[in-house]
Amino acid sequence: GASNKGRSALRIGAPGAATAAAWEQLREASQFQRAGRIEAAMDVYEGLLRHAGEQAMKAKALSGLVDCKHELGDLEGALESAQQLLRIRPDHPEANLRVAELLLEAGHGADMADPYLSRAAEATGQGRLGGPSPGTEDGDAGRTLQIRVLCARAEAALAREDYTQALKAVAEAVRRDVALPR
């Protein structure tokens, strides 16, 4: 299958060839995922985790596993993979946001999600709700991440029954979303 092909490619040739093969496998896993072949994508991501030496590759593979497990409804498995990702990239805003989103979705409560939301918000320039929006240096992807952080903050506020903060977060998310080019 796809995972056998990938594992052997990582062991053959010079280090540069192994790295190129690993990045090709990552693209293949992403294509499987987009095509709805989630188990095939997971096999490739897991093979990459076992054999990839590069931290960036491991981070990408873990991120893919998080998405696959989430798509299959395995929230606890997705959360476990997201926490592994945080061990590699503790300050990465997307990784922190994914952990917060998964904690909230799995019903673990706002108090558990808050530290991750705070780290994600700080990394996207939103230290406080309603704080300044960073410049466009991150582009649309950065603004989309900001909107997701705000939506997760609203969800956490709802879990605490803090409707005022939830409404503020949603209003700010809508304001920033309207500003995105379509």
Side-chain angles (χ1 to χ4, degrees):
S3 59
N4 289 337
K5 174 184 149 195
R7 278 181 235 153
S8 61
L10 285 175
R11 284 183 255 151
I12 302 172
T19 299
W23 285 105
E24 180 55 37
Q25 285 181 276
L26 189 63
R27 284 188 289 281
E28 179 184 40
S30 181
Q31 289 170 346
F32 283 151
Q33 201 172 342
R34 284 193 302 275
R37 297 181 57 200
I38 305 304
E39 289 84 6
M42 286 179 64
D43 285 345
V44 176
Y45 289 134
E46 288 168 349
L48 285 168
L49 283 175
R50 282 190 296 276
H51 299 286
E54 237 182 272
Q55 292 293 71
M57 174 58 61
K58 286 182 180 182
K60 293 277 189 187
L62 280 167
S63 182
L65 267 180
V66 170
D67 292 340
C68 287
K69 289 176 180 181
H70 182 255
E71 202 166 322
L72 291 174
D74 180 7
L75 294 180
E76 293 302 321
L79 184 56
E80 182 181 312
S81 293
Q83 288 170 328
Q84 286 179 310
L85 176 57
L86 275 181
R87 285 193 282 281
I88 294 172
R89 303 187 70 189
D91 296 326
H92 193 268
E94 174 70 27
N96 278 285
L97 177 57
R98 287 296 283 156
V99 169
E101 289 171 334
L102 290 165
L103 285 167
L104 290 167
E105 189 174 342
H108 288 288
D111 291 340
M112 286 184 73
D114 280 340
Y116 301 103
L117 279 174
S118 293
R119 283 193 289 276
E122 288 169 17
T124 61
Q126 303 177 24
R128 296 187 53 224
L129 184 59
S133 196
T136 57
E137 66 276 358
D138 288 338
D140 290 346
R143 288 192 297 272
T144 300
L145 185 65
Q146 292 171 354
I147 292 166
R148 286 181 47 220
V149 168
L150 287 163
C151 290
R153 282 181 154 183
E155 190 174 342
L158 286 173
R160 284 191 294 278
E161 297 183 8
D162 186 345
Y163 303 114
T164 301
Q165 283 302 317
L167 188 55
K168 285 180 183 178
V170 167
E172 182 64 16
V174 168
R175 184 185 71 76
R176 291 184 189 200
D177 184 51
V178 169
L180 282 175
R182 299 285 180 218

